[in-house]
Amino acid sequence: MRFSFFATSTTLKKLYAPEMSKVLLAGGFNGYWNFGDILMLQGAVRWHLGRKESAVVSIHELGRVQDAQYLRQLPVVLGTEDFVFFSSDTGDTASTKARELGLEPVSPTRLRGAARLHVYGGGYFNGRWGDGMLALVESLLHAWLPGHYVLSGLQVGPEFASRLAAHAHQWQPLLLGCRDPESVQALVEHGAPALLSGDDALEELDRAAEEASRQEPRPKAPGRFALHMNLSTYAYTDPGVDPDSLPPPAATMNEQLQALRAHFGEAAAPVVLNAYIDERPVVEDSLAAMRKTAFTEHFPQADVVDLVGLLFQGRLSQAVERIRECEALVASSYHVTLLGKVSGVPSHLFAFNEYYRQKKAGLAESETSLKDFLEGGLPSSLERGGAYIEEQRKVRREWLSRLATNLGQPVANVNWVSRASTWLEEARTELRQEKQLRAEETQATRGALEELQARHHALLARCEAGEARVRELEQQLAHRDAEGTALKGELHGVRELLASKEFELECSTKREEELRASYEALLTTEPPLRHRLVDDLNDRLIKSAGGQRAHRAIKHLMRVTVGRGK
C-alpha cells in the first residue's frame, strides 16, 4: 500500500529546514474522534513539547478533513500546530482535495533535519486494523528515515504478534512498549524485545483528576452510577465470526441494563458518558445506544456527559467531578474505565469478545461479568482499582524516563544523498518485486492459456461430434417425415371410409326403426295373416264336422290358446 503525504506551507518549511529537529506522531488518532485516541495523542504531544522539540507533527488522515475550518480547529484541540495528512487514494483524488484545502504535497527528497518517529498507543495492531496501520508506519519510515524510532502504549492481538515482531526485527526501534502484559508476552515469544510501558493517556487522566480535586467535592448521590455503552460490532465479535450468528448487541446490552436496575433500583438516574463523536453508522456509542436499547424503560431519568466535547473545550475535569458523584462506573470503553479508576470510583469494563477480554486483563479486572462486579463488593473493587492505578503510575514513570534517555541520544541528520540512495534502493527493490510479480503473472497466464487451449480443443471435438449427431438426427427426422406423410394419407382414406360406413349405419338404423314402427302398427290394427288363415281353416272343419254349436266352442278355445281376442 502506497501513501501520499500533504501539509500546510508552514509545516513544510519546518520539515524541509535542516536546522530544525522534529518528531512525528502516528498512532490511535487519525481523525476519528474517539475519547481514548484523542487523550493518547494529547499526552504524546504534551510530553514531546515539554522536551523542547522544534516541531511536533501529528499524522492525520486526509479523508477526515471536511474543510479549512476543520484545519484551523485541530491545533486548538490537539495541542500542536503541525500536521501531515496522508491518503492511500490512487489517481488525482487526494491531490485535488489537498489543493482545495490549501495543502501541498510532501517531497521526501527535500526532507531535512533530525527526525524521530513515535508510534504512540492504541489497540490497532490486530486482525482488524493491523495491516493498514503497519503499512502507514512503514511508509513513514521509508519517507522520513528517522534517526530514532520508538513505539509505546500498544495493545497487540496474539494473531498479529508475529507480523509486528517481524517489523521490529527489520526496523530495529529503540523501544517497543505495550500497555498490557499479554501484548508484551506475545511479542517476546516471537523474538521482539517488548517492554511494559503502560497507557499513553494516563498522564492526561491524572491531570484532569488533579484539577477536579481542587474543586469543592460533591457528595455521592445514592443509587447513581456512571454508564458508557457501545453497540458497535467490533465490541462484540471476533475477526472471522459472523455477527449474525451471535445475539444482537442491543439485546446483550439490555441484559446489562436489567442487572443495573435490579442493583441500583428503579429510581436510579445514571450519568451517561458519550465517548465517540462519529457520523459513520458502524459506530454506535452511548447516545445511539440510548435509542436502540431499552434504556429509557429502565431509567427514564438520566444525565448525559459528552467526554469528547469536554476534551474539545479543555474541561475534562468536569467529567471527573460528575463521575465522583457516582457509586460505580460501568463502560464499554477501555479509556472510560481507566478514567473511572483514576477518578477513584469502582469501575468495570464490559468484555464480550477476545479483544475486550484482553483490554479487561490489562486493567487487572478479575471479575468476568457485571453480576460478579456488583455482587462482589464495590469497596473491594475500589481498593483493587486504586492499587492498579498506583502500579501503572510507577510503570509510566520508569517508561518515560527510559524514553527520554533513548530519545536524548544524538540523531544523525540524514542528508539528501542518503535519502536519494534509500529511495533508489527502494525503487530497485520495488522494480525487482514488480518483475518477479510480472514473471509469476506471466507464468500463471501461460498456464491458464494452455489450460484454456486444451479446453478449447476438447470443446471443439465435442462440438464436431454434436454437429454429426445433429445431421444424423436431421436425416432420421426427414425419413420419419416422409413416413408420416404417407401415414397421414392412409389415415385420411380410412377416416373417409369410416365416415361412409357410419353414414350407412345411420341410414340402416333409421330404416330399422321405420320397419319396427310399421310392424308395431300392424300388430295393433289387424290380426296377423297366419291367424286369419288358421281361423278360416278351423271354421271350415267345424262346420263340416259338428255344426254351429261345436264351431263356437272350438273358436273360443282357439282364442284362449293363441291369445287372440283383441
Side-chain angles (χ1 to χ4, degrees):
M1 185 182 296
R2 299 296 299 270
F3 291 88
S4 301
F5 299 101
F6 307 89
T8 63
S9 57
T10 302
T11 298
L12 285 176
K13 289 179 181 179
K14 297 178 183 179
L15 295 177
Y16 297 159
E19 73 280 3
M20 296 186 68
S21 64
K22 62 276 301 179
V23 58
L24 278 75
L25 298 177
F29 180 79
N30 288 323
Y32 299 91
W33 297 98
N34 174 281
F35 171 67
D37 293 339
I38 300 170
L39 274 178
M40 289 184 288
L41 176 56
Q42 287 180 336
V45 168
R46 194 185 302 274
W47 189 83
H48 283 285
L49 288 176
R51 298 185 67 254
K52 308 301 181 183
E53 296 281 1
S54 298
V56 177
V57 184
S58 177
I59 306 300
H60 192 292
E61 185 176 333
L62 179 64
R64 298 295 297 171
V65 181
Q66 288 90 26
D67 49 34
Q69 177 63 23
Y70 182 97
L71 293 178
R72 290 190 288 270
Q73 290 176 343
L74 281 178
V76 179
V77 176
L78 300 177
T80 180
E81 61 183 11
D82 294 307
F83 296 86
V84 167
F85 301 91
F86 68 89
S87 174
S88 61
D89 292 339
T90 58
D92 297 331
T93 304
S95 299
T96 301
K97 180 170 184 177
R99 285 195 300 271
E100 292 173 352
L101 294 169
L103 303 175
E104 302 175 24
V106 176
S107 174
T109 58
R110 297 180 61 190
L111 295 172
R112 301 288 187 275
R116 302 175 177 86
L117 174 62
H118 181 183
V119 176
Y120 61 91
Y124 42 78
F125 280 136
N126 51 52
R128 276 195 172 92
W129 306 294
D131 288 334
M133 191 62 190
L134 198 58
L136 173 61
V137 170
E138 292 185 348
S139 184
L140 291 169
L141 288 166
H142 281 294
W144 266 266
L145 299 177
H148 290 160
Y149 171 38
V150 296
L151 304 95
S152 67
L154 304 178
Q155 177 178 316
V156 182
E159 73 279 7
F160 202 78
S162 61
R163 290 284 312 282
L164 188 58
H167 165 85
H169 178 75
Q170 177 184 359
W171 291 97
Q172 296 294 312
L174 289 175
L175 291 172
L176 174 54
C178 301
R179 71 187 183 190
D180 65 292
E182 289 188 16
S183 296
V184 173
Q185 181 179 354
L187 289 173
V188 169
E189 289 176 353
H190 287 89
L195 300 171
L196 191 62
S197 68
D199 191 86
D200 288 330
L202 184 61
E203 289 73 35
E204 293 301 301
L205 294 175
D206 275 340
R207 183 173 289 102
E210 182 180 354
E211 183 178 343
S213 298
R214 292 195 289 266
Q215 305 300 320
E216 187 70 23
R218 301 183 183 184
K220 288 190 179 294
R224 173 161 289 190
F225 63 94
L227 172 65
H228 168 261
M229 297 175 286
N230 183 359
L231 301 184
S232 305
T233 302
Y234 65 81
Y236 295 83
T237 63
D238 293 304
V241 177
D242 182 7
D244 294 335
S245 65
L246 301 173
T252 302
M253 186 55 65
N254 281 335
E255 295 177 358
Q256 316 309 311
L257 295 175
Q258 292 173 2
L260 290 168
R261 180 182 177 181
H263 182 83
F264 289 103
E266 60 181 16
V271 176
V272 178
L273 305 173
N274 194 67
Y276 214 145
I277 297 178
D278 200 295
E279 74 284 357
R280 295 173 298 166
V282 295
V283 177
E284 296 181 310
D285 210 67
S286 291
L287 295 180
M290 291 175 70
R291 297 190 301 271
K292 292 194 170 185
T293 64
F295 176 85
T296 55
E297 298 177 16
H298 296 298
F299 307 107
Q301 297 185 68
D303 295 334
V304 176
V305 175
D306 194 315
L307 298 176
V308 177
L310 290 177
L311 279 180
F312 285 175
Q313 299 179 9
R315 296 189 291 127
L316 184 59
S317 60
Q318 294 183 8
V320 176
E321 294 177 29
R322 296 301 309 275
I323 291 171
R324 285 176 174 172
E325 298 176 12
C326 301
E327 295 183 18
L329 178 147
V330 292
S332 298
S333 161
Y334 171 90
H335 283 102
V336 173
T337 307
L338 190 60
L339 172 63
K341 294 181 185 298
V342 170
S343 300
V345 172
S347 302
H348 170 80
L349 174 65
F350 294 127
F352 302 121
N353 61 4
E354 282 301 308
Y355 178 53
Y356 274 80
R357 186 210 57 75
Q358 186 176 353
K359 291 174 181 282
K360 192 175 184 68
L363 291 168
E365 292 189 357
S366 57
E367 67 276 355
T368 58
S369 68
L370 177 61
K371 181 180 179 181
D372 293 340
F373 169 71
L374 296 174
E375 295 180 356
L378 296 182
S380 61
S381 175
L382 176 60
E383 184 178 352
R384 293 193 301 273
Y388 168 79
I389 292 299
E390 287 303 319
E391 177 63 25
Q392 291 302 301
R393 287 169 179 153
K394 178 182 177 182
V395 170
R396 288 295 293 174
R397 286 193 296 269
E398 294 175 353
W399 171 260
L400 292 176
S401 175
R402 183 180 289 110
L403 184 62
T405 299
N406 280 271
L407 293 182
Q409 300 175 10
V411 180
N413 186 3
V414 182
N415 57 38
W416 70 270
V417 175
S418 299
R419 295 185 186 278
S421 299
T422 300
W423 276 81
L424 181 60
E425 182 59 32
E426 289 177 8
R428 289 171 177 166
T429 301
E430 290 182 1
L431 182 60
R432 287 194 297 269
Q433 293 174 347
E434 186 68 21
K435 287 182 177 178
Q436 178 66 23
L437 181 61
R438 292 291 175 86
E440 293 174 356
E441 290 178 350
T442 301
Q443 184 177 359
T445 302
R446 184 180 296 111
L449 179 59
E450 292 174 354
E451 181 183 354
L452 287 174
Q453 288 176 341
R455 291 175 61 188
H456 172 73
H457 292 313
L459 289 173
L460 183 61
R462 291 175 61 186
C463 289
E464 291 175 351
E467 290 176 354
R469 178 59 178 164
V470 169
R471 287 192 295 271
E472 179 184 352
L473 291 174
E474 287 176 345
Q475 292 175 359
Q476 293 179 5
L477 181 61
H479 179 69
R480 291 180 181 179
D481 285 343
E483 291 180 348
T485 302
L487 290 173
K488 286 180 180 178
E490 185 179 348
L491 177 61
H492 181 70
V494 171
R495 284 177 176 171
E496 289 182 346
L497 179 61
L498 179 60
S500 173
K501 297 299 182 181
E502 287 178 349
F503 180 74
E504 291 179 3
L505 178 61
E506 184 180 354
C507 293
S508 300
T509 302
K510 289 181 179 180
R511 179 60 179 162
E512 181 183 357
E513 290 176 354
E514 291 175 357
L515 292 174
R516 188 181 298 278
S518 300
Y519 173 74
E520 291 293 335
L522 288 174
L523 289 178
T524 55
T525 57
E526 186 175 356
L529 177 61
R530 64 183 179 86
H531 289 176
R532 292 198 302 271
L533 293 175
V534 171
D535 287 347
D536 183 62
L537 180 60
N538 288 338
D539 286 342
R540 291 179 181 179
L541 289 174
I542 291 171
K543 286 179 180 180
S544 62
Q548 186 68 30
R549 189 174 179 182
H551 171 259
R552 286 196 298 270
I554 293 172
K555 190 175 183 180
H556 175 74
L557 179 61
M558 288 298 297
R559 287 195 187 100
V560 175
T561 303
V562 299
R564 191 170 64 86
K566 299 193 182 218

